[in-house]
Amino acid sequence: MYLNGELSDGLQQIEVDSGTEVTLVVETDIVDEVHVHGYDLFFDVSPGVTEFSFVADIPGIFEAELEHLGVPIVKLEVR
């Protein structure tokens, strides 16, 4: 969650096997976009809860961040 100017849950860490469908649920009170690095995916977020999914099929460790703020929200490890 990114509310009131801060990341209230801290950096989330997710570990999955390659080929797994990953669903990210982002709760925020701002308009921004989530950028999943390494996959070069962008998802718009707006105040409230936004949910989006993708198949994690590239092995490695990747960061997802609120792009315009430059705030990392997820560390994704794909094995």
Side-chain angles (χ1 to χ4, degrees):
M1 281 189 269
Y2 187 84
L3 302 169
N4 299 317
E6 64 181 50
L7 191 59
S8 60
D9 292 342
L11 180 67
Q12 299 296 300
Q13 296 191 24
I14 302 169
E15 296 178 13
V16 299
D17 291 325
S18 184
T20 300
E21 183 174 15
V22 173
T23 299
L24 298 180
V25 180
V26 179
E27 183 177 6
T28 184
D29 57 2
I30 61 167
V31 173
D32 204 324
E33 62 184 354
V34 172
H35 178 198
V36 182
H37 293 268
Y39 286 82
D40 209 25
L41 299 172
F42 293 86
F43 301 96
D44 292 330
V45 293
S46 56
V49 176
T50 305
E51 203 173 296
F52 49 89
S53 299
F54 64 97
V55 175
D57 57 0
I58 303 171
I61 298 174
F62 306 96
E63 182 180 271
E65 71 175 345
L66 290 171
E67 182 70 6
H68 300 295
L69 289 178
V71 174
I73 59 172
V74 173
K75 178 182 166 187
L76 172 65
E77 182 176 349
V78 181
R79 303 178 295 257

